[in-house]
Amino acid sequence: MTQVYIRPIGIAASPQAEAGDAVRLAGGMVYAHRFAILLRQDGEVTLRERVSPEHMAQALGRLPDSVAAEAEAQWTCLRFAHPPLQLGERTVRLDQPQVMGILNVTPDSFSDGGAFLDNPEAGRAHAAAMLESGAALVDIGGESTRPGAAATWEGDELERVLPAVEYCAAMGAAISVDTRRPAVMEAALAKGAHIINDVSALRHDPRSMALAAAQQCPVVLMHSPGKSDDLHADADYDNVVFDVFEWLKNARNHALDAGVQRENILLDPGIGFGKTLAENLALVNALPLFHALGQPIMLGASRKRMIGALSNEADAAHRLGGSIAFAVAGMDAGVQLLRVHDVAETVQARNVWRGLRDAALTDFSDIPAD
């Protein structure tokens, strides 16, 4: 079987810097002017060609018929401008990076487990502070999915999540519920949540996919290699970038076949889930490729173990700098949603990044005249 990939490998300072030979990546604030067209046969890359947008049509025309339609679809997806998410009364634009703040109501999260579980006032204050700092959404989770964490009983998860959904909804927040259980999804949506964020990509329970299709709400499908309670198990990659790409493509198609609307699907490459440090870094460096799937991309790298591995084993409470570095890498790749613990700092970094991009896109003073 032959597979094709169109990977952006050259990000332009601005389209005018390339005399217009650049495309706006996924409708955002990042422009790409050079792409690698790759063919993969039985796990081996058999063709590598670098091409600019000006010559893309000719390059696509030279591809084998077996991959021609897929290549055209990827090229269209790379240039597709995603419409905003309408989440209750809130509109979340996807033409610039947005920050999703994490609210863990668990006793054992790797980062802040227990801080908000038995103290709803603290949870409410934390959610309010994230919204005031500029979070576009609050992501509420009642089960730790760190490596080695025990599965949570559904009843416990409901007791943890629903009060948090209620007080966030009372603030008028756009709410994502981080769960893999359909009963929690359904109850949270009924209480005012807007998005299902499922680390199992709706695979954990066969009822989840039908529920997502029936509710017609946005869903985040995340890559995780494990098929049972341990989402980190069974990791085996020939090439982690291509394998995760194909996995997410299949997850997207399965959701479409089940009746989930395409505009309701977001994708997450699952940084830290069943991946080594090298594999995580490869995925972050390859993030622009995932726009070829045609869905908004979410990046969740905040405070994760790989930051400690790269910084003298700093513990989770001392990984702010690394978290910001990964957030900026995501923004440079055109990622639409950044799922983070440190909202105020990430929003500030996003605002500065956005100012730099605005300046680059509007300053023509150093561009030679034709």
Side-chain angles (χ1 to χ4, degrees), residues 228-293:
S228 58
D229 282 337
D230 185 0
L231 297 167
H232 303 265
D234 308 318
D236 182 20
Y237 310 107
D238 290 329
N239 178 302
V240 69
V241 171
F242 296 148
D243 292 352
V244 171
F245 184 96
E246 294 297 333
W247 192 101
L248 288 174
K249 180 166 67 174
N250 290 335
R252 177 203 65 191
N253 292 344
H254 185 42
L256 291 172
D257 291 343
V260 179
Q261 295 297 310
R262 182 149 190 173
E263 61 268 24
N264 284 333
I265 299 173
L266 299 87
L267 301 176
D268 180 342
I271 301 299
F273 280 77
K275 300 168 184 79
T276 65
L277 173 61
E279 289 162 349
N280 285 318
L281 295 176
L283 283 169
V284 173
N285 282 327
L287 282 172
L289 167 67
F290 291 90
H291 294 297
L293 292 169

Coordinates of all heavy atoms in Angstrom, one line a residue, residues 228-293:
S228 N -7.0 -0.6 26.0 CA -7.8 -0.9 27.2 C -7.6 0.3 28.2 O -7.5 1.4 27.8 CB -7.3 -2.2 27.8 OG -5.9 -2.1 28.1
D229 N -7.6 0.0 29.5 CA -7.5 1.1 30.4 C -6.2 1.8 30.4 O -6.1 3.0 30.7 CB -7.8 0.5 31.9 CG -9.2 0.3 32.2 OD1 -10.1 0.9 31.5 OD2 -9.5 -0.6 33.0
D230 N -5.1 1.1 30.0 CA -3.8 1.7 29.9 C -3.6 2.3 28.5 O -3.3 1.6 27.6 CB -2.7 0.7 30.2 CG -1.3 1.3 30.3 OD1 -1.2 2.5 30.1 OD2 -0.4 0.5 30.5
L231 N -3.8 3.6 28.4 CA -3.7 4.2 27.1 C -2.3 4.3 26.6 O -2.1 4.7 25.5 CB -4.3 5.6 27.2 CG -5.8 5.7 27.6 CD1 -6.3 7.1 27.9 CD2 -6.6 5.2 26.4
H232 N -1.3 4.1 27.5 CA 0.1 4.2 27.1 C 0.7 2.9 26.6 O 1.8 2.8 26.1 CB 0.9 4.7 28.3 CG 0.4 6.0 28.9 ND1 0.9 7.2 28.5 CD2 -0.6 6.3 29.8 CE1 0.3 8.2 29.1 NE2 -0.6 7.6 29.9
A233 N -0.1 1.8 26.7 CA 0.4 0.5 26.3 C 0.4 0.3 24.8 O -0.2 1.0 24.0 CB -0.5 -0.6 27.0
D234 N 1.1 -0.8 24.4 CA 1.0 -1.3 23.0 C 1.6 -0.3 22.0 O 1.2 -0.3 20.8 CB -0.4 -1.6 22.6 CG -1.1 -2.5 23.5 OD1 -0.5 -3.5 24.0 OD2 -2.3 -2.3 23.9
A235 N 2.5 0.6 22.5 CA 3.2 1.5 21.5 C 4.2 0.8 20.7 O 5.2 0.2 21.2 CB 3.8 2.7 22.3
D236 N 4.0 0.9 19.4 CA 5.0 0.2 18.5 C 4.9 1.0 17.1 O 3.9 0.9 16.4 CB 4.6 -1.2 18.3 CG 5.6 -2.0 17.4 OD1 6.7 -1.5 17.2 OD2 5.2 -3.0 16.8
Y237 N 5.9 1.8 16.8 CA 5.8 2.7 15.6 C 6.9 2.3 14.7 O 8.1 2.1 15.1 CB 6.0 4.1 16.1 CG 5.1 4.6 17.2 CD1 5.6 4.8 18.5 CD2 3.7 4.7 17.0 CE1 4.7 5.2 19.5 CE2 2.9 5.1 18.0 CZ 3.4 5.4 19.3 OH 2.5 5.7 20.3
D238 N 6.6 2.2 13.4 CA 7.6 2.2 12.4 C 8.2 3.6 12.2 O 9.4 3.8 12.1 CB 7.0 1.7 11.0 CG 6.7 0.3 11.0 OD1 7.4 -0.5 11.8 OD2 5.7 -0.1 10.4
N239 N 7.3 4.6 12.1 CA 7.7 6.0 12.1 C 6.6 6.7 12.8 O 5.5 6.8 12.4 CB 7.8 6.5 10.6 CG 8.1 8.0 10.5 OD1 7.4 8.8 11.0 ND2 9.2 8.3 9.8
V240 N 6.9 7.3 14.0 CA 5.9 7.8 14.8 C 5.0 8.9 14.2 O 3.8 9.0 14.3 CB 6.5 8.3 16.2 CG1 7.3 9.6 16.0 CG2 5.4 8.5 17.2
V241 N 5.7 9.8 13.3 CA 4.9 10.8 12.7 C 3.9 10.3 11.7 O 2.7 10.6 11.8 CB 5.9 11.8 12.0 CG1 5.1 12.8 11.1 CG2 6.8 12.5 13.0
F242 N 4.4 9.4 10.8 CA 3.4 8.9 9.8 C 2.4 8.0 10.5 O 1.2 8.0 10.1 CB 4.2 8.1 8.8 CG 5.2 8.9 7.9 CD1 6.3 8.4 7.4 CD2 4.9 10.2 7.7 CE1 7.2 9.1 6.7 CE2 5.7 11.0 6.9 CZ 6.9 10.5 6.4
D243 N 2.8 7.2 11.5 CA 1.9 6.3 12.1 C 0.8 7.0 12.9 O -0.4 6.6 12.8 CB 2.6 5.3 13.1 CG 3.5 4.4 12.3 OD1 3.5 4.3 11.1 OD2 4.3 3.6 13.0
V244 N 1.2 8.1 13.6 CA 0.1 8.9 14.3 C -0.8 9.6 13.3 O -2.0 9.7 13.5 CB 0.8 9.8 15.3 CG1 -0.2 10.8 15.9 CG2 1.5 9.1 16.4
F245 N -0.2 10.1 12.2 CA -1.0 10.7 11.2 C -2.1 9.7 10.6 O -3.2 10.1 10.5 CB -0.1 11.2 10.0 CG -0.8 11.9 8.9 CD1 -0.8 13.3 8.9 CD2 -1.4 11.2 7.9 CE1 -1.4 14.0 7.9 CE2 -2.0 11.9 6.8 CZ -2.0 13.3 6.8
E246 N -1.6 8.5 10.3 CA -2.6 7.5 9.7 C -3.6 7.1 10.8 O -4.8 6.9 10.5 CB -1.8 6.3 9.3 CG -0.9 6.5 8.1 CD -1.7 7.0 6.8 OE1 -2.9 6.6 6.7 OE2 -1.1 7.7 6.0
W247 N -3.2 7.0 12.0 CA -4.1 6.6 13.1 C -5.2 7.7 13.3 O -6.4 7.4 13.4 CB -3.3 6.5 14.4 CG -4.0 5.8 15.6 CD1 -3.9 4.6 16.0 CD2 -4.9 6.5 16.5 NE1 -4.6 4.4 17.1 CE2 -5.3 5.5 17.5 CE3 -5.4 7.8 16.6 CZ2 -6.1 5.8 18.5 CZ3 -6.2 8.1 17.7 CH2 -6.6 7.1 18.6
L248 N -4.8 9.0 13.3 CA -5.7 10.1 13.4 C -6.7 10.2 12.2 O -7.8 10.5 12.3 CB -5.0 11.4 13.7 CG -4.4 11.6 15.0 CD1 -3.6 12.8 15.1 CD2 -5.4 11.6 16.1
K249 N -6.1 9.9 11.0 CA -6.9 9.9 9.8 C -8.0 8.8 9.9 O -9.2 9.0 9.6 CB -6.1 9.7 8.6 CG -6.9 9.6 7.3 CD -6.0 9.8 6.0 CE -5.2 8.6 5.8 NZ -4.4 8.6 4.6
N250 N -7.6 7.6 10.4 CA -8.6 6.6 10.6 C -9.6 6.9 11.7 O -10.8 6.6 11.5 CB -7.9 5.3 10.9 CG -7.1 4.7 9.8 OD1 -7.4 4.9 8.6 ND2 -6.1 3.9 10.1
A251 N -9.2 7.5 12.8 CA -10.1 7.9 13.8 C -11.1 9.0 13.3 O -12.3 8.9 13.6 CB -9.3 8.5 15.0
R252 N -10.6 9.9 12.5 CA -11.5 10.9 11.9 C -12.5 10.2 11.0 O -13.7 10.5 11.0 CB -10.7 11.9 11.1 CG -11.5 13.0 10.3 CD -10.7 13.5 9.2 NE -10.4 12.5 8.1 CZ -9.6 12.7 7.1 NH1 -8.9 13.8 7.0 NH2 -9.4 11.7 6.2
N253 N -12.1 9.3 10.1 CA -13.0 8.7 9.2 C -14.0 7.8 9.9 O -15.2 7.7 9.5 CB -12.2 7.8 8.2 CG -11.3 8.7 7.3 OD1 -11.6 9.9 7.1 ND2 -10.4 8.1 6.6
H254 N -13.6 7.1 11.0 CA -14.5 6.3 11.8 C -15.6 7.2 12.4 O -16.8 6.8 12.4 CB -13.7 5.6 12.9 CG -14.6 4.6 13.6 ND1 -15.5 3.8 13.1 CD2 -14.6 4.4 15.0 CE1 -16.1 3.0 14.0 NE2 -15.5 3.4 15.2
A255 N -15.2 8.4 12.8 CA -16.2 9.3 13.4 C -17.1 9.8 12.3 O -18.4 9.9 12.5 CB -15.5 10.5 14.1
L256 N -16.6 10.1 11.2 CA -17.5 10.6 10.1 C -18.4 9.5 9.7 O -19.6 9.7 9.4 CB -16.6 11.0 8.9 CG -15.7 12.2 9.0 CD1 -14.8 12.4 7.8 CD2 -16.6 13.4 9.2
D257 N -18.0 8.2 9.6 CA -18.8 7.1 9.2 C -19.9 6.9 10.2 O -21.0 6.5 9.9 CB -18.0 5.8 9.1 CG -17.1 5.9 7.9 OD1 -17.3 6.7 7.0 OD2 -16.2 5.0 7.8
A258 N -19.7 7.3 11.5 CA -20.6 7.1 12.6 C -21.7 8.2 12.6 O -22.6 8.2 13.4 CB -19.9 6.9 13.9
G259 N -21.4 9.3 11.8 CA -22.4 10.4 11.8 C -21.9 11.7 12.5 O -22.7 12.6 12.6
V260 N -20.7 11.7 13.0 CA -20.2 13.0 13.5 C -19.9 13.9 12.4 O -19.2 13.5 11.4 CB -18.9 12.7 14.4 CG1 -18.4 14.0 14.9 CG2 -19.2 11.7 15.5
Q261 N -20.3 15.1 12.5 CA -20.1 16.1 11.4 C -18.6 16.5 11.4 O -18.0 16.7 12.4 CB -21.0 17.3 11.6 CG -22.5 17.1 11.5 CD -22.9 16.6 10.1 OE1 -22.5 17.2 9.1 NE2 -23.6 15.5 10.1
R262 N -18.1 16.7 10.2 CA -16.7 17.0 10.0 C -16.3 18.3 10.7 O -15.2 18.3 11.3 CB -16.3 17.1 8.5 CG -14.8 17.3 8.3 CD -14.3 16.8 7.1 NE -12.8 16.8 7.0 CZ -12.1 16.3 6.1 NH1 -12.6 15.6 5.2 NH2 -10.8 16.4 6.2
E263 N -17.1 19.3 10.7 CA -16.8 20.5 11.4 C -16.8 20.4 12.9 O -16.3 21.3 13.6 CB -17.8 21.6 11.0 CG -19.2 21.4 11.4 CD -20.0 20.7 10.3 OE1 -19.4 20.0 9.4 OE2 -21.2 20.8 10.2
N264 N -17.2 19.2 13.4 CA -17.2 19.0 14.9 C -16.0 18.2 15.3 O -15.9 17.8 16.5 CB -18.5 18.3 15.3 CG -19.7 19.2 15.4 OD1 -19.5 20.4 15.6 ND2 -20.9 18.7 15.2
I265 N -15.1 17.9 14.5 CA -13.9 17.0 14.8 C -12.7 17.8 15.0 O -12.3 18.5 14.0 CB -13.7 15.9 13.8 CG1 -15.0 15.0 13.7 CG2 -12.5 15.0 14.1 CD1 -14.9 14.0 12.5
L266 N -12.0 17.7 16.1 CA -10.7 18.2 16.4 C -9.8 17.1 16.7 O -10.2 16.0 17.1 CB -10.7 19.2 17.5 CG -11.6 20.5 17.4 CD1 -13.0 20.2 17.9 CD2 -11.0 21.6 18.2
L267 N -8.5 17.2 16.4 CA -7.5 16.2 16.5 C -6.4 16.6 17.4 O -6.0 17.7 17.5 CB -6.9 15.7 15.2 CG -8.0 15.3 14.1 CD1 -7.3 15.0 12.8 CD2 -8.7 14.0 14.6
D268 N -5.8 15.6 18.2 CA -4.8 15.8 19.1 C -3.7 14.7 18.9 O -4.1 13.5 19.1 CB -5.3 15.8 20.6 CG -4.3 16.0 21.6 OD1 -3.1 15.9 21.4 OD2 -4.7 16.4 22.8
P269 N -2.5 15.0 18.6 CA -1.5 13.9 18.4 C -1.1 13.1 19.7 O -0.4 12.2 19.6 CB -0.3 14.6 17.8 CG -0.4 16.0 18.3 CD -1.9 16.3 18.4
G270 N -1.6 13.5 20.8 CA -1.4 12.8 22.1 C 0.1 12.8 22.6 O 0.6 11.7 22.9
I271 N 0.6 14.0 22.7 CA 2.0 14.1 23.2 C 2.0 13.5 24.6 O 1.2 13.7 25.5 CB 2.4 15.6 23.3 CG1 2.3 16.2 21.9 CG2 3.8 15.7 23.9 CD1 3.2 15.6 20.9
G272 N 3.0 12.6 24.8 CA 3.2 12.0 26.1 C 2.5 10.7 26.3 O 2.7 10.0 27.3
F273 N 1.6 10.3 25.4 CA 0.8 9.1 25.6 C 1.5 7.9 24.8 O 1.4 7.9 23.5 CB -0.6 9.3 25.1 CG -1.5 10.0 26.1 CD1 -1.4 11.3 26.3 CD2 -2.4 9.3 26.9 CE1 -2.1 12.0 27.3 CE2 -3.2 9.9 27.8 CZ -3.0 11.3 28.0
G274 N 2.2 7.0 25.5 CA 2.8 5.9 24.8 C 3.9 6.3 23.8 O 4.0 5.7 22.7
K275 N 4.7 7.3 24.2 CA 5.7 7.8 23.2 C 7.0 8.1 24.0 O 6.9 8.7 25.2 CB 5.2 9.0 22.5 CG 3.9 8.8 21.7 CD 3.3 10.0 21.2 CE 2.0 9.7 20.4 NZ 0.9 9.5 21.3
T276 N 8.1 7.8 23.5 CA 9.4 8.2 24.1 C 9.6 9.7 23.9 O 8.9 10.4 23.2 CB 10.5 7.4 23.4 OG1 10.6 7.8 22.0 CG2 10.3 5.9 23.5
L277 N 10.7 10.2 24.6 CA 11.1 11.6 24.4 C 11.3 11.9 23.0 O 10.8 12.9 22.4 CB 12.3 11.9 25.3 CG 12.9 13.2 25.1 CD1 12.0 14.3 25.4 CD2 14.2 13.3 25.9
A278 N 12.1 11.0 22.3 CA 12.4 11.3 20.9 C 11.2 11.3 20.0 O 11.0 12.1 19.1 CB 13.4 10.2 20.4
E279 N 10.2 10.4 20.3 CA 9.0 10.4 19.5 C 8.1 11.6 19.8 O 7.5 12.2 18.8 CB 8.2 9.1 19.8 CG 8.9 7.8 19.3 CD 8.5 6.5 19.9 OE1 7.8 6.6 21.0 OE2 8.8 5.5 19.4
N280 N 8.1 12.1 21.0 CA 7.3 13.3 21.3 C 7.9 14.5 20.6 O 7.2 15.3 20.0 CB 7.3 13.6 22.8 CG 6.4 12.7 23.6 OD1 5.3 12.4 23.2 ND2 6.8 12.2 24.7
L281 N 9.3 14.6 20.6 CA 9.9 15.7 19.9 C 9.7 15.6 18.4 O 9.5 16.7 17.8 CB 11.4 15.7 20.2 CG 11.7 16.0 21.7 CD1 13.2 15.8 22.0 CD2 11.2 17.3 22.2
A282 N 9.7 14.4 17.9 CA 9.5 14.3 16.4 C 8.1 14.8 16.1 O 7.9 15.4 15.0 CB 9.7 12.8 16.0
L283 N 7.1 14.4 16.9 CA 5.7 14.9 16.6 C 5.6 16.4 16.7 O 4.9 17.0 15.9 CB 4.8 14.2 17.6 CG 4.4 12.7 17.3 CD1 3.7 12.1 18.5 CD2 3.6 12.6 16.1
V284 N 6.2 17.0 17.7 CA 6.1 18.4 17.8 C 6.7 19.1 16.6 O 6.2 20.1 16.1 CB 6.7 18.9 19.2 CG1 6.7 20.4 19.2 CG2 5.9 18.4 20.4
N285 N 7.8 18.6 16.2 CA 8.5 19.2 15.0 C 7.7 19.0 13.8 O 7.8 19.7 12.8 CB 9.9 18.6 14.9 CG 10.9 19.2 15.8 OD1 10.8 20.4 16.2 ND2 11.9 18.4 16.3
A286 N 6.8 18.0 13.7 CA 6.1 17.7 12.5 C 4.6 18.2 12.6 O 3.8 17.9 11.7 CB 6.0 16.1 12.3
L287 N 4.3 19.0 13.6 CA 2.9 19.4 13.8 C 2.3 20.0 12.5 O 1.1 19.8 12.2 CB 2.8 20.4 14.9 CG 2.8 19.8 16.3 CD1 2.9 20.9 17.4 CD2 1.6 19.0 16.6
P288 N 3.0 20.8 11.7 CA 2.4 21.4 10.5 C 1.8 20.3 9.6 O 0.8 20.6 8.9 CB 3.5 22.2 9.8 CG 4.5 22.5 10.9 CD 4.4 21.4 11.9
L289 N 2.4 19.2 9.5 CA 1.9 18.1 8.7 C 0.4 17.8 9.0 O -0.4 17.5 8.1 CB 2.7 16.8 8.8 CG 2.1 15.5 8.2 CD1 2.0 15.6 6.7 CD2 3.0 14.3 8.7
F290 N 0.1 17.8 10.3 CA -1.3 17.3 10.7 C -2.4 18.2 10.2 O -3.6 17.8 10.2 CB -1.3 17.1 12.2 CG -0.4 16.0 12.7 CD1 0.9 16.2 13.0 CD2 -0.9 14.7 12.7 CE1 1.7 15.1 13.4 CE2 -0.1 13.6 13.1 CZ 1.2 13.8 13.4
H291 N -2.1 19.4 9.8 CA -3.1 20.2 9.1 C -3.6 19.6 7.8 O -4.7 19.9 7.4 CB -2.6 21.6 8.8 CG -2.3 22.4 10.0 ND1 -3.3 22.8 11.0 CD2 -1.1 22.9 10.5 CE1 -2.7 23.5 11.9 NE2 -1.4 23.6 11.7
A292 N -2.8 18.7 7.2 CA -3.3 18.0 6.0 C -4.5 17.1 6.3 O -5.1 16.6 5.3 CB -2.1 17.2 5.4
L293 N -4.8 16.8 7.5 CA -6.0 16.0 7.9 C -7.2 16.9 7.8 O -8.3 16.3 7.9 CB -5.8 15.4 9.2 CG -4.7 14.3 9.3 CD1 -4.5 13.9 10.8 CD2 -5.1 13.1 8.5

